[in-house]
Amino acid sequence: MRRAARKAWRVCTHGNISRTLDVTPIGLHERDFEGLSLEEASARRKAFLSAGSRFERGELVSIDEIGGSVWAWRRMNAKGDKAPNFMELGFVPAVNAACKAVLEEADLGAINFHPIRILNAGRKSEPWPEEIYVVNVGNAKHSLAIEDGLRIGNLREVGVPGFEPPPEKLQYRLAGKRIASLTTDALDGPDIWMEPKLSRGNLFISDRLAKFLKAAKMTGGWGLKECPIVGIHQVE
């Protein structure tokens, strides 16, 4: 059923610990490849990158595919500090237990909350005593206001000059103020989804879910940017 809201929200997190820390899944750093053949190391990297691509397209993956633990090899918050409500660990979004409970009040569609361990540089201690969950969203919508692959609003095409990718593989990157105009297709279905046509920052939530987060004072770290709903063929 289509909701009456005329806006949605793009997640542009500013609580991204990977901006100040180098966060790496355990098993994928150079030190983890010691003892592996070149073929084995290459296969491990390819499997991880494949899982990451599927993750960002709005597909469910197993925790084993993306790594059940990560480590930050620069300074991390002291042990005992409260974990952020929302953060990004490399390319994957993650929430603490309190934020997870708020999300579960909404229509989440297909989703996995994978428990994940975050370790310090020594890989021996966890900086936060509470549980952290990777949010693996298995919902994909195609609601970016794009028509015939033309640049519209703040969007610009991503590609190699002189190379024309097939339409199904054409992606876009947000420029300008990082605001995406969406079609009314965004109003249908689950309250959280991925936009596969967007190459970065492609996690979106409905206005309904945004209100749940605001009421619970859980918007910190999400970096929510309002996205207006426009007609399917309206071009700015």
Side-chain angles (χ1 to χ4, degrees):
M1 180 178 179
R2 181 160 289 168
R3 303 182 181 92
R6 300 300 300 178
K7 61 185 175 183
W9 299 83
R10 180 179 178 231
V11 178
C12 303
T13 179
H14 51 77
N16 183 345
I17 67 171
S18 65
R19 290 184 181 178
T20 54
L21 304 168
D22 290 286
V23 178
T24 306
I26 290 178
L28 287 168
H29 192 262
E30 292 301 325
R31 66 190 271 189
D32 299 312
F33 293 138
E34 295 178 5
L36 297 182
S37 67
L38 291 177
E39 292 77 12
E40 290 171 327
S42 176
R44 182 181 290 184
R45 287 191 184 96
K46 287 180 179 178
F48 177 77
L49 292 174
S50 173
S53 295
R54 287 160 38 223
F55 189 106
E56 293 184 330
R57 290 198 301 265
E59 299 179 22
L60 297 180
V61 301
S62 71
I63 189 61
D64 292 335
E65 291 180 287
I66 58 174
S69 54
V70 299
W71 66 298
W73 48 281
R74 291 188 187 178
R75 182 182 179 277
M76 184 176 276
N77 291 355
K79 188 177 179 67
D81 287 354
K82 184 180 182 299
N85 296 321
F86 180 93
M87 69 191 88
E88 282 189 349
L89 305 175
F91 67 88
V92 298
V95 296
N96 61 17
C99 193
K100 173 178 175 285
V102 174
L103 294 180
E104 289 173 333
E105 297 177 17
D107 174 8
L108 300 180
I111 197 167
N112 284 332
F113 289 103
H114 292 304
I116 192 168
R117 296 183 69 207
I118 304 176
L119 304 178
N120 65 4
R123 298 189 179 189
K124 293 181 179 179
S125 64
E126 301 178 56
W128 301 304
E130 57 197 296
E131 287 193 287
I132 305 296
Y133 300 87
V134 167
V135 183
N136 178 197
V137 177
N139 312 307
K141 297 184 184 181
H142 299 274
S143 59
L144 290 175
I146 299 170
E147 184 177 276
D148 298 329
L150 300 176
R151 175 175 172 169
I152 297 177
N154 292 317
L155 292 170
R156 61 185 178 191
E157 294 181 18
V158 175
V160 179
F163 173 74
E164 186 65 30
E168 67 273 12
K169 292 188 177 180
L170 184 64
Q171 285 191 307
Y172 297 82
R173 181 179 298 136
L174 280 173
K177 297 180 180 179
R178 302 189 305 173
I179 295 175
S181 295
L182 305 176
T183 71
T184 51
D185 291 335
L187 302 178
D188 291 328
D191 289 306
I192 187 167
W193 70 95
M194 309 293 277
E195 288 285 349
K197 285 287 187 181
L198 201 55
S199 67
R200 297 175 186 170
N202 61 346
L203 178 62
F204 288 76
I205 65 173
S206 69
D207 192 47
R208 177 172 177 260
L209 179 50
K211 288 177 179 177
F212 287 165
L213 291 169
K214 290 175 183 177
K217 302 186 186 309
M218 289 279 178
T219 56
W222 287 78
L224 295 176
K225 299 290 183 181
E226 183 177 330
C227 302
I229 304 296
V230 301
I232 291 178
H233 299 297
Q234 181 173 338
V235 179
E236 294 184 356

